[in-house]
Amino acid sequence: MKRPASSSAQEPGAKRRAMEEVEGPSSLDEAFDQLAERYPDRPAVEDESSTWTYRQLQEASLRMAGNMLANLGQGEDDAPIVVLLRRNCLWVAACLAAMRITSVLALSSDLDSEEEVARNAEAIAEHRPRLLVLERALSGARAAKPLLSAAGDIPLVYAEELLQEAPFQPRKRSLDDALYLVYTGGTTAASKCVVQTHRMALHELRTYPDFGVLTCEDRILHHTSAFWGATCMGLFDLPWCCGACLVLLPRHGLTEVTRAIEERGITVAGLVPSLLDALDEKRCTSLRTVFTWGEPLRQATVEAWSSRVQLLDLLIASEYWPGAPGQWPKTSIRFGRKSSF
């Protein structure tokens, strides 16, 4: 087993990232816009029916941001915008648009459970958002009931209507401004809300390229519900660090993940180890890099997969954010650091 690289070996990368933090973008949306200028015609996001380029995603998010701004209700300046859509191209554009204005509170709609409804109601009551953004197709969903109930006091708009032309003047954000409000899963204690900042996301954008496993040609799987916000929202940083394509699944079961890897040419995926164990290797021949998180990575899993893929074991939790990597067997990395900067 290789030991983590020494601090002296990591020093050049650390110095470069520190310089980029001083001279680089001050928000995730600003970093995305720089990427869109570099790769305007590359595919940025793909759902089951459409593909948007980086230019198309940028332009849609700017129009949506302009319309969101025009519809903001009264409240604290830093109160979030709630986003409740199915995981599709429009959902990514809505999240990107909202972060251009304030923090994003993305709620889930795909679990169809009482716990999901209760979480959505709790989040709206706790944070008193200035705007509720809902996909019209979800109007009858149980998950949307808390939004519809709150619509008398908080403005509610349908996401599809936000695509109309509207001017938007980019806002200068601070590195320590809130980016996402996400809830812990509640597996070790009562679920609670955690603030994640632009600084944290930009740290990932600077760190991921150092691994040498991501390229603009990659097709990166996104199958995680917004109910697990740290992973769901954090997955944006994988394609946005290199100009790759984010491939969205509406649901996150074993059958759906296996089919997507096989039929949609997925090259990079973030998976809990138990899901990785359950995959049929013969149907995952396109897969070359796997990030694992959420559960302990067993040695048996490493032995089964590390000769086939680049295997990176990350500590991803609502209270944690990635830090400097340490090497372990041939194609594996373990890392993680407390998200207090």
Side-chain angles (χ1 to χ4, degrees), residues 231-254:
T231 302
C232 178
M233 310 310 291
L235 277 167
F236 290 172
D237 298 341
L238 288 174
W240 293 0
C241 80
C242 61
C245 181
L246 190 66
V247 181
L248 302 167
L249 299 190
R251 302 192 71 83
H252 59 279
L254 172 62

Side-chain angles (χ1 to χ4, degrees), residues 87-105:
R87 285 196 304 279
N88 52 29
C89 295
L90 186 62
W91 171 68
V92 178
C95 291
L96 180 56
M99 74 176 67
R100 294 182 184 279
I101 301 169
T102 184
S103 57
V104 184
L105 178 52

Side-chain angles (χ1 to χ4, degrees), residues 58-98:
Q58 179 190 41
E59 291 176 349
S61 73
L62 289 168
R63 293 194 302 271
M64 296 181 82
N67 283 298
M68 286 180 183
L69 200 57
N71 283 279
L72 282 183
Q74 299 298 316
E76 299 291 334
D77 288 343
D78 60 352
I81 292 175
V82 162
V83 175
L84 181 62
L85 288 79
R86 296 170 297 176
R87 285 196 304 279
N88 52 29
C89 295
L90 186 62
W91 171 68
V92 178
C95 291
L96 180 56

Side-chain angles (χ1 to χ4, degrees), residues 4-15:
S6 67
S7 58
S8 60
Q10 295 175 1
E11 189 175 359
K15 286 184 176 180

Side-chain angles (χ1 to χ4, degrees), residues 78 80 103-104 126-127 175-184 192-201 230 317-321 339-341:
D78 60 352
S103 57
V104 184
E126 180 178 0
H127 298 291
L175 286 169
D176 294 313
D177 283 348
L179 171 59
Y180 304 127
L181 303 182
V182 300
Y183 280 79
T184 63
K192 60 182 181 294
C193 183
V194 177
V195 176
Q196 295 176 343
T197 67
H198 287 273
R199 184 188 299 273
M200 295 175 180
S318 303
E319 303 95 330
Y320 287 79
W321 212 255
S339 66
S340 55
F341 288 80

